[in-house]
Amino acid sequence: MGKKVLITGGTGLIGKRLTQMLLEKGYEVAFLSREKANIPSVQVFEWDIKKGYIEEGALDNLHFLVHLAGTNVGEGRWTEERKKSILESRTESIRLITRKLAEKPLKPVAFVSASGISYYGQDTGDARNTETTPAGNDFLSHVSVEWEKAADEIEALGIRTVKLRTGIVISKGGGAIPKMALPARFGVGAPLGSGKQWMSWIHLDDMCRLYMEALENEGWDGAYNAVAAPPVTNEGLTKAICKVLHRPQWFPNVPAFALKLAFGEMAAVVLGGNYVVNGRIANETGFRYRYGELEEALKAELGS
């Protein structure tokens, strides 16, 4: 039996692909889930964050821990109740695991937690954001900061901890790209707002390879910007999607006020942007991206 990896949020976009890659390498994979489920080759343990419950055995013989759980930021209006769920689903979940791990004599070797490039702010213009750039002061920045603080509580148990600040994930299976590609397929692709906002991206397979590298490589520690280089503007991404799909892009930009009317505060997710640099990955690790060019990454997901 291979080393055991416990994943929260394992049925999400990154979790599914990461699970495939871990199983292919001979790891034993387990999920923490709110409901029992029959998932091939994966042991599923139940947990209830509000009740402070984790099923017996979930944290036993555990070598690695991956934290991906969290309410989807891009679905549904940001009511106060939903904003609370977005925050607490990321923070209280890992704090529950921390409390339970503190009781265990044997602890995981390494812990890797998702975070977001929204750490730097929902719209930082043309400023280059590195891992040393201070946090922003809007809602999603606050979420990422608290998310990372919760991860640091695992580190305080003596467990090597890595935080991957994730950009837009290029995948046909979910996230922003299928939503942007849908109108483009019908010949009505259009940039959002000014179209000048920066979008820092990474292909799904490279994202999962970063998780595996962070788990396996003892030299990884702290926060990393999990993006490829270079970033692209919203307009540039729209044009690239249309090119890969062999569709024209002639519609005018979708105005910001229309997006705000449609999505409320959540419109900031698509109207804002960050120019994020993968400084630590590029300068401190030997990691090599399989998809370092945007068009190559889009073709892999959207190409026929």
Side-chain angles (χ1 to χ4, degrees):
M1 189 66 74
K3 295 175 180 177
K4 179 179 173 182
V5 184
L6 181 66
I7 304 176
T8 74
T11 57
L13 178 66
I14 293 173
K16 286 179 181 177
R17 181 65 180 128
L18 178 60
T19 296
Q20 288 178 333
M21 293 169 73
L22 287 167
L23 290 172
E24 287 168 4
K25 285 197 70 173
Y27 285 95
E28 176 188 353
V29 179
F31 287 176
L32 280 180
S33 175
R34 287 173 294 179
E35 298 175 353
K36 275 289 188 186
N38 186 15
I39 301 174
S41 304
V42 174
Q43 189 172 9
V44 179
F45 294 94
E46 280 188 280
W47 68 335
D48 188 315
I49 298 164
K50 290 184 178 178
K51 293 181 180 178
Y53 167 75
I54 294 179
E55 185 178 343
E56 194 65 34
L59 302 177
D60 293 343
N61 304 312
L62 184 58
H63 204 84
F64 295 130
L65 175 64
V66 175
H67 180 41
L68 301 171
T71 298
N72 193 320
V73 170
E75 291 182 4
R77 278 181 170 263
W78 285 355
T79 62
E80 288 306 310
E81 183 179 356
R82 186 162 186 83
K83 286 166 78 172
K84 182 180 179 184
S85 175
I86 287 170
L87 175 62
E88 293 186 354
S89 61
R90 287 162 170 77
T91 57
E92 295 309 309
S93 52
I94 204 60
R95 288 194 173 108
L96 169 59
I97 293 175
T98 304
R99 293 195 297 272
K100 298 295 184 180
L101 278 178
E103 301 169 0
K104 298 285 183 181
L106 295 176
K107 296 177 174 57
V109 172
F111 166 56
V112 183
S113 177
S115 182
I117 58 172
S118 52
Y119 177 95
Y120 306 109
Q122 285 165 228
D123 189 0
T124 55
D126 293 331
R128 291 166 63 89
N129 296 288
T130 71
E131 287 87 353
T132 59
T133 301
N137 55 12
D138 52 47
F139 170 64
L140 287 184
S141 301
H142 174 67
V143 169
S144 291
V145 168
E146 293 303 312
W147 203 353
E148 294 191 13
K149 283 182 182 176
D152 290 341
E153 294 177 25
I154 292 273
E155 186 175 36
L157 296 177
I159 299 167
R160 180 174 61 83
T161 295
V162 178
K163 296 162 283 192
L164 296 178
R165 295 173 181 164
T166 311
I168 294 167
V169 176
I170 306 287
S171 170
K172 63 185 175 186
I177 298 304
K179 293 175 183 176
M180 293 184 72
L182 184 61
R185 288 185 190 278
F186 292 99
V188 291
L192 304 176
S194 71
K196 306 300 182 188
Q197 63 272 39
W198 289 104
M199 307 189 80
S200 299
W201 59 274
I202 184 169
H203 187 276
L204 176 61
D205 278 7
D206 280 334
M207 187 72 242
C208 293
R209 289 176 61 238
L210 282 175
Y211 270 92
M212 294 182 72
E213 189 73 17
L215 289 174
E216 296 173 343
N217 192 323
E218 294 179 2
W220 287 56
D221 191 276
Y224 295 80
N225 288 335
V227 295
V232 65
T233 63
N234 180 273
E235 183 177 17
L237 178 56
T238 303
K239 286 181 177 178
I241 289 172
C242 291
K243 182 180 178 181
V244 167
L245 294 174
H246 307 292
R247 296 290 189 273
Q249 190 249 298
W250 55 272
F251 268 67
N253 294 28
V254 180
F257 76 86
L259 292 165
K260 289 175 182 175
L261 282 174
F263 300 111
E265 189 180 355
M266 193 186 75
V269 173
V270 293
L271 289 173
N274 293 317
Y275 192 111
V276 177
V277 180
N278 59 356
R280 291 197 67 197
I281 291 171
N283 299 324
E284 299 177 20
T285 78
F287 184 83
R288 294 291 177 265
Y289 292 85
R290 286 182 184 159
Y291 300 95
E293 299 294 330
L294 177 64
E295 195 169 320
E296 181 186 19
L298 289 171
K299 280 181 180 177
E301 295 301 303
L302 303 178
S304 54

